[in-house]
Amino acid sequence: MLNFETTVQDSKSYGDLTLSEVEPILKINLRSNKREFSTKIGKLLSIIPPIEANTSSSNEDYSILWLSPDEWLIYSNNKISYEQQNLLEENLFNNISNTNQGSVTNVTDHWVMINLKGSKIYDLLSKSSPYDFKNFKMKKGSVAQTLLNHTDVILHNIDDNNLNLFVRRSFSEDLWLWINDSARFL
Amino acid sequence: MFIINCPYCGERDQTEFSSGGEAHIVRPKQPTELSDDEWAEFLFMRKNIKGIQFERWNHSHGCRKWFNVVRDTSNDKIHAVYKMGEKPPVNK
Amino acid sequence: MPQELRINNNKFIDQTTRLSFKFNGEKLYGYKGDTLASALLANNIHLVGRSFKYHRPRGIMTCGSEEPNAIVQIGNDPSLTDPNVRATEIELYEGLEAFSQNCWPNVKFDIGGINNLLSPLLPAGFYYKTFMWPASFWEKYEFFIRHSAGLGKSPTKPDPDIYDHKYYHCDVLVVGGGISGIMAAKLSAENNNETLLLDDKNILGGATIYQNNDCFQIDGTHTNYWLEKEIKNIKNIKNLTIKTRTSLAAYHGYNYLLAKENLTDHLSPDERKGKIRQRLWKIRAKKVIIATGSIERPLIFNNNDRPGIMLSSAIKKFIDFYGVKAGKEITLFTNNDSAYETAISLKKSGVNIVSIIDIRDKSSSKIVKEVEKHNIKIYWKHTIVNTEGYRRISFIEIMQLSDDGSDVIGKKIKLKTDCLGISGGWTPMVHLFTQSGGKLKFRSDDNVFLPDKNKTPSDQISIGSCNGDFDIKDIILNSNKDVKTFLGIENSSFDNLKVESSKEEMKRNIWLLPSDKPIGKTKPFLDFQNDSTAKDVKLALREGFKSIEHVKRYTTTGMGTDQGKLSNMHALGIIAEITGTNMGELGTTTFRPPYTPLTFGAIVGRNVGEFFDHTRKTAMHNWHVQNKAKFENVGQWKRAWYYPKNGETMFEAVQRESKAARESVGILDASTLGKIDIQGTDASEFLNRVYTNAWSKLAIGKCRYGLMLNEDGMVYDDGVTTRLGENHYIMTTTTGGAANVLTKLEDYLQTEWPELDVYLTTVTDHFSTISICGPNSKKILSKVIPDLDLSDEKFPHMSFKNSIINGIKCRVMRISFTGEHSYEINIQSNYAKHVWELCMDAGKNYNITPYGTETMHLLRAEKGFIITGQDTDGTMTPSDLQMDWIIGKKKFDFIGKRSLYRSDTIRDDRKQLVGLLTDDPKEILEEGAQIVEKLNQKPVEMLGHVTSSYFSPNLNKSIALAVMKSGKKLKGKKFFVPMENKNINVTVTDTVFFDKENKRLNA
Amino acid sequence: MKNKYSIFSLIKNAFSNHENWQRAWRDPEPKKEYDAIIVGGGGHGLATAYYLAKKHKMTNIAVVEKGWIGGGNTGRNTTIIRSNYLWDASAGLYDHALKIWEGLSQELNYNIMFSQRGVMNLAHNLQDVRDLKRRTHANRLNGIDAVWLNTDEVKKFCPIINTSPDIRYPVLGGTLQKRAGTARHDAVAWGYARGADQLGVDIIQNCEVKGIKRDGDQIIGIETSKGYIKSKKIGVVAAGHSSVIANMAGLKLPLESKPLQALVSEPVKPIIDTVVMSNAVHAYVSQSDKGELVIGAGTDSYVSYTQKGSHNIVEETLRAILELYPIFSRMKMLRQWGGIVDICPDASPIISKTQVKGLYFNCGWGTGGFKATPGSGDLFAHTIANDEPHKLNAAFNINRFVSGDLVDEHGAAAVAH
């Protein structure tokens, strides 16, 4: 097996704020505007892709984030083996892409997932995100695609004062630096 | 700094969007049959309206969808937004 | 030593905390709570600076952000010094050092003061009329003009301080913490609105918090006591956030407001360490309540600018708030009742009032009567015609006004005074309102511009004195009523307040007060900082500058650091009078943001230094660093440029890398190329439309190079696209073009071709790309992926295979950008560095050589392959690039096709790509150098330019690509490349220099 | 003949307390008919009128201005003047202007304060270097003074630039045009207005064009807020509002009008003695005679006629300024404003006849029109007077958008300011 090397490989605390890169879990991008797509995903993953904007649906294994009316991001809630990842990707690809129901694209390493926890995470984000977190904050499962320090991010509210942040791999070290710098001044 | 109501994601800050210029300039279906003048009309000529303009925006840092906006270019007030392919909600 | 100008019992100044500071090197002290201005006054210092043009001595005039004169340089550390700081705003701290500006050798004796003597030669706009002879001398004159202008000095070393940003969303924003702002904030927050209250001072309460006068009472107590209680109460409301030392800078559309919070400027240097200096708040408020108050107007009369002449309201604040007497023998000069409030405050504190000069005939309001009780001499219907005192006012001369106010009559009376308070009425601060798009209306009763309720953008109101209410009764009544309506509130705790005040009964306004001297001999200053006088305004009008914007620009009135907060109304008044226009019709000049100057640092926030711009890194970045790569910035990416070994120069390293790649094997990190995953039943049709060439017949498992145009027919991007399955492709784009290409393709799919069943997903960061190139590349790959059949039959050039490296899936393409037998491994990025290392390991015995972008550029140039953006500049068609073969002539349409057949794009004398060889093979052309045929012309006709140029180690000669007019027809012809010191002889050649038969691809 | 301006006239007038200065220009009511009307009283329009009267002896002409003269982009720009353009056509046009600038104060007897303190363009990446070198070579062969400076020479010419190799986009060199510089923007409008007025041109302010009258293909006059005015030649120089006027005549132009912002700092003693522009790190800065740092920001990407742009554009600009000049962090922004710039797809102007006879357009100057003012006026006057372009503006015709012969200045990475 190959060694893998993620970008951040770090975890930091500032007061009750903790930041940590989550070890890569499976991430798959789905796109479709076909009618049967949802049902098919439902059958394959026991979870329906959300239709409502800025929301997600989750079960024990997976979360599906709404990205646009025809685009979703699936990620596995837990680390799963590389073989399992492959199986799932192939299964989805065969049932969706190969049946012309949409597209399935593995984006596991496209995104780096950083977990932010603590009472001041929204103070941190509001230093450089124009997004109004008022509703997002209150609703578990909310999803926001916005800018953080001029970088595209996807935010997923997984619990009170606890969210997962997705940033493109090539930007991740840069954003990590910014987050840590800003966390010093909360 | 506008607030633009993305028809898919809701109200967001202008910095999440990029502008795509005048809307409803349909790409000719058979460009080869156009004269140079007609092609130039499609390519370059713009109304550049002072007043109510129908224009395209892209939620480039959000859902990446293109959509249409009705904006008064004389005061930047946005009157409506609507999806691609939809009819303008106000008279053109 | 006690300060004799201090009064004691003052609650805003902490007289137990003494702070020492220096002004122009002199050691002084003040107290915690002082501003620099109040501390200077307590030390009996009025002379603070020199004016801009005439270098006249100037003192403290106000106690706020409208201060035009008392602006100083703070500190002298080259990285921390602050120019143009208002002494009236900066809070005193231990160790503060301040210096007068715009004077040499010092503020008391300033050589520039000679300008004052020359002032008859320096009317408004004088520089437009002179300094024209001799023609070449302007820059010499300008040198002196520049050195006598400017105010403070810029820092000369980088700023070590940290600035921060904060986005803030709220229901209601209240700007200004005076009495109306406090009321609004309370009403708003108590009624379930998330409310933010901002005030630029360190203490809330505006002017009411020190208004301790029997004439003004609320519910039976003095207004200050009432307000104190309210302020105490609102601090406990949970929906309310209060920010002091935070000034609203700009009010943009869609209720987007910028405010600057000062966090450390009031602290001593020791206390500042490790703290953020300023924070810029970017506020989005659903509703905005503007309660910014008003500022007092000066009066315009002869020599009204001397140190010791101050706004009457400033004198009042200095005594009531700071506990400082601005003088010992104070005179007040007014056209309204406000000066009488000052008189009472002074009297209470035991200051001697010489007299009050009032231009009105009489007033019998409550407060005037109160003053009369104190036996203060009031000169009704009088004006000041002159003042004396160079560094500090010493005398005034007064005369009686004629009935129409245009002249003076009677005997001149001379009065001795050391401080003169002037009061010309009040100007509502409507800056933010107009910045937001609101329109003003004019109220002629008291000559004020007010927010026009009918032309107010929705979701905001103005209340209090910025809305034209100057009487405390009106302020309370109207603020309460307006806020209730605005926020939809039914009942308020302010509904039944009992308010007592002194109603002003009599008004008289004269914009330019007459003197006994002709106006030409007087100096009635309008803009104190820029030294423009009423005379200048008159001159501008005489010369035909009619528009107020013209007058402003010609006289520079209102263009100082105070942005005309004190001067603009008088300038308008004088213009209106002379031109016989109604002031309302004349309008105002534009109020431009920011309201008060904003540091660049605060605007930029943290995005300085390492955070200036993003740095994008590939998965192999750390390997490149460890192996001493030099990096090239390509967009936001850091790309390995070359890897110098043992002190090699760049040239040497690139020569070595280039040879190695052709002779054995080279390895390149190509991960930055854009990669787009394309799926859907119409994927082939989509590619047909976006690329110039045909795609339908590309077999699964094959790769093809594609060229993408703009609709204008010019080359936009290029790259190799691979067919992974029936309906599945992976497209590569240039590094710089990746984001734009994706956006453009999505645009076509969503807007023009919604009928196509195609889905795009970017995978640029998911896959890293390792390119292995050279005759031994096959050997390396077979070691890294032993299971893969690399025979030319099974894995020919321009094809692809799915494979596995140590259990991890990867895609291998056999494609080449160098003309060598090459492979590209695409692997998930988290494994890429390891695969790179495996390749390096596998190549040990083959001298595997990592190479960077420079070598890549050289190798492809040897083959005549273009780089979009380097060999193209947005003006090249495929045919210009000699790539007619890539245009699918039979294709019905593709992006840009129609543009290729316009009359000027089909011309055959367009600039076309060619190869160039120098006659001297050692001579390397400069990229960007021009190519000419004839040298002895003027101007020289240029036929084209060099786009790429290298010394090819594999050919042992220099090679270049160029674009030249009619280039296709020029093969074999000779030209010149003229350099500054020589002309280089060149010959046009084919664009392919190396391995023209493409034998090496299958070597 | 009006007062001639000089030090002597200043002294003379000082004795009469400056009460005898004459008007710089009259304030006439419009006549019924003119031989030509210029729409737009900015620098370009006033210069056009001046040269029509001066060189082509057309003195029965008027300039109509919606507001006050010089109140549009003339009074809102960052006053940079240079001619180091890439393409021959552009170089010809802008250097023609630069040559006129060099003697303009004397020509107009009005000090427009043309200050040849040099303009430096910086390169921050390898493609910048190629592009700027290409431009420098082309300039030299076109007879335009421009030299390439390496990083040390850049530092020497302007010591406050951060030329450290460790910054995000290090300065790799730059070009310098020494004849380039700045001028006092208001003075340009006022000087031309005074000059034109003296030659008999009617300058009519507060006169808004409401309609363009055609008789078939021939222009016959304009409807204005001060009534109908007849003329068979109308030259439109309305900058951001060009499309609005074109639409009145039933034409569309290849223009988009966008907000362009600029700002000044509080005045300080001399700290930067040249003009420095950077394309890759988008920032340009100079210092005015008053001591203010004059900083140009970028354009927004959407059409707007509000004269207001987005704050993030200002923020981005100052970010770039602090990257190159970290010493300015504590300097303060005093004023910030916006203008409306009309931009052509190829970032080059239009100085051209149209398909309507007698209707001429001078527009599309985008973010860089001020520097061309005298040349633009001269060539536009030639075009109107002769109904044919001068050879220097022939390439800037409207038809290039049909035939495809664009003068693409942004493709060539010339900073278009």
Side-chain angles (χ1 to χ4, degrees), chain B residues 1-3 12-15 18 25-37 39 42-44 56 58 60 64-67 71 76-78 84, chain C residues 167 252-254 256 284 458 689 711-712 742-744 746-748 750-753 755 760-762 892-904:
Chain B
M1 302 286 282
F2 316 156
I3 291 175
R12 297 295 184 89
D13 191 88
Q14 181 190 324
T15 44
S18 41
I25 300 174
V26 182
R27 190 173 185 276
K29 287 277 173 269
Q30 297 191 312
T32 43
E33 298 191 356
L34 302 184
S35 68
D36 281 3
D37 275 306
W39 181 245
F42 160 73
L43 258 191
F44 294 127
R56 292 149 24 86
N58 180 223
S60 43
R64 298 194 297 121
K65 286 289 171 203
W66 285 89
F67 57 94
R71 183 173 57 94
D76 285 343
K77 199 172 165 201
I78 292 174
M84 280 296 158
Chain C
Y167 284 91
H252 297 297
Y254 294 78
Y256 184 69
R284 285 280 191 192
S458 55
R689 296 189 191 183
E711 284 291 12
D712 68 0
L742 181 65
T743 305
K744 181 175 152 131
E746 278 287 350
D747 186 1
Y748 275 94
Q750 294 176 30
T751 316
E752 302 292 348
W753 309 321
E755 73 280 5
L760 308 177
T761 304
T762 170
F892 172 70
D893 190 15
F894 54 81
I895 296 172
K897 182 179 185 190
R898 175 61 187 81
S899 287
L900 298 176
Y901 302 97
R902 292 174 298 170
S903 59
D904 277 315

Side-chain angles (χ1 to χ4, degrees), chain C residues 110-123:
Chain C
D110 173 23
I111 291 284
I114 197 164
N115 285 4
N116 192 36
L117 299 175
L118 292 174
S119 64
L121 290 178
L122 313 175

